[in-house]
Amino acid sequence: MPQRDATLNWQGPATSQTERALVGLRDLIVSGEIPVGDRVSEIETAARLNLSRTPLRAALQRLHEEGLLEALPARGYAVRGFSLREIGEAIEIRGMLEGLCVRQLAERGCAAALLAQMEDGLDAIDDLLVGRVFTAADLPVYIAANARFHEQLLVANGSALIAQEVERAGKHPFAGPSALVQLGVTEGEVQRHLITAQDQHRAVLEAIRNHESARAEAVMREHARMSLRNLRRVLRDGEGAEALKGIRGATLIRREEESLRP
């Protein structure tokens, strides 16, 4: 079950006109080229993407369902902004679902071969983070390895329903497992954040192996929440403009005072 790239750079191979419209329109939104609150013009956007209006309308409907667009009273759609509360709720939902996934794994037991595969994946992440300086060039490799670990947990659990709901939750802006991995003012700060996340990966795998279901679930939910805490911190400390530069879709974040409250 492939996960969406939660950095919001969801540009996989487009296999149809509708998929091309979906990828192109999403890119215009998360890059900030169509600002929050602006109405999406079908004629202008279709011309911009070199597509007809039929696949564009299908893409508009899809992105409305995903939450990136809101319906306007007089027809059409506008780009939505997201408060920290909304981002937090989406992250919490994903954390609850992944927590359920690993709790069930710990209760039922996980095949040794699958545990070994996940261990190998975490070893590969260690190679990126331990004993070396982590740079921006390493991010794509980390994001792929991180997504693979989260996917392996779902595959090991074997529940099509949980996998489907985790994928659905991960489509919300900033809710996916790698959405905010580069959140930090310096590369050293990013590396410290990722090392903490990796410790949590190890703790979850250990809990699954030892059949510690409550621990596995608690660590997985805390793992999801960590990115939101970091996002709140950089916005509160006035570091937001610099720290959010590398976050795709940062222009969608509404930074009202009330959204910064716990």
Side-chain angles (χ1 to χ4, degrees), residues 16-120:
S16 68
Q17 292 294 299
T18 298
E19 187 68 18
R20 279 187 56 209
L22 187 63
V23 168
L25 179 56
R26 189 185 279 118
D27 185 60
L28 291 175
I29 293 169
V30 300
S31 66
E33 291 186 55
I34 305 178
V36 169
D38 275 19
R39 184 180 185 279
V40 181
S41 167
E42 285 189 17
I43 296 174
E44 291 178 10
T45 306
R48 198 169 182 178
L49 298 176
N50 195 28
L51 292 165
S52 72
R53 293 171 67 180
T54 299
L56 180 63
R57 285 172 182 154
L60 287 166
Q61 179 61 32
R62 282 275 298 278
L63 293 185
H64 172 55
E65 292 168 359
E66 290 182 16
L68 278 176
L69 297 174
E70 57 187 352
L72 295 173
R75 298 186 62 186
Y77 299 94
V79 176
R80 273 194 67 195
F82 295 87
S83 69
L84 278 184
R85 174 173 294 181
E86 291 171 314
I87 294 169
E89 288 171 348
I91 290 172
E92 182 73 15
I93 288 169
R94 180 178 63 81
M96 289 173 62
L97 289 166
E98 289 191 327
L100 173 62
C101 168
V102 298
R103 177 168 64 81
Q104 290 182 345
L105 264 178
E107 289 171 348
R108 299 169 182 168
C110 183
L114 293 175
L115 286 170
Q117 288 176 12
M118 288 186 273
E119 191 76 44
D120 288 345

Side-chain angles (χ1 to χ4, degrees), residues 2 32 42 47 67 73 75 80 82 95 103 106 124 139 141 149 152 161-162 172 177 201-202 214 249:
E42 285 189 17
R75 298 186 62 186
R80 273 194 67 195
F82 295 87
R103 177 168 64 81
L139 270 172
V141 181
F149 175 72
Q152 285 173 324
L161 180 59
I162 292 177
H172 290 279
H201 289 156
R202 292 283 186 191

Side-chain angles (χ1 to χ4, degrees), residues 82-186:
F82 295 87
S83 69
L84 278 184
R85 174 173 294 181
E86 291 171 314
I87 294 169
E89 288 171 348
I91 290 172
E92 182 73 15
I93 288 169
R94 180 178 63 81
M96 289 173 62
L97 289 166
E98 289 191 327
L100 173 62
C101 168
V102 298
R103 177 168 64 81
Q104 290 182 345
L105 264 178
E107 289 171 348
R108 299 169 182 168
C110 183
L114 293 175
L115 286 170
Q117 288 176 12
M118 288 186 273
E119 191 76 44
D120 288 345
L122 294 184
D123 287 344
I125 293 177
D126 279 344
D127 290 342
L128 286 172
L129 298 174
V130 180
R132 64 188 294 274
V133 176
F134 185 89
T135 69
D138 296 314
L139 270 172
V141 181
Y142 175 87
I143 287 170
N146 184 50
R148 186 161 54 249
F149 175 72
H150 284 258
E151 290 167 10
Q152 285 173 324
L153 291 171
L154 293 169
V155 170
N157 178 282
S159 168
L161 180 59
I162 292 177
Q164 172 186 299
E165 293 306 312
V166 169
E167 182 178 19
R168 188 195 306 273
K171 288 179 180 177
H172 290 279
F174 315 103
S178 297
L180 299 170
V181 295
Q182 64 267 59
L183 189 62
V185 177
T186 66

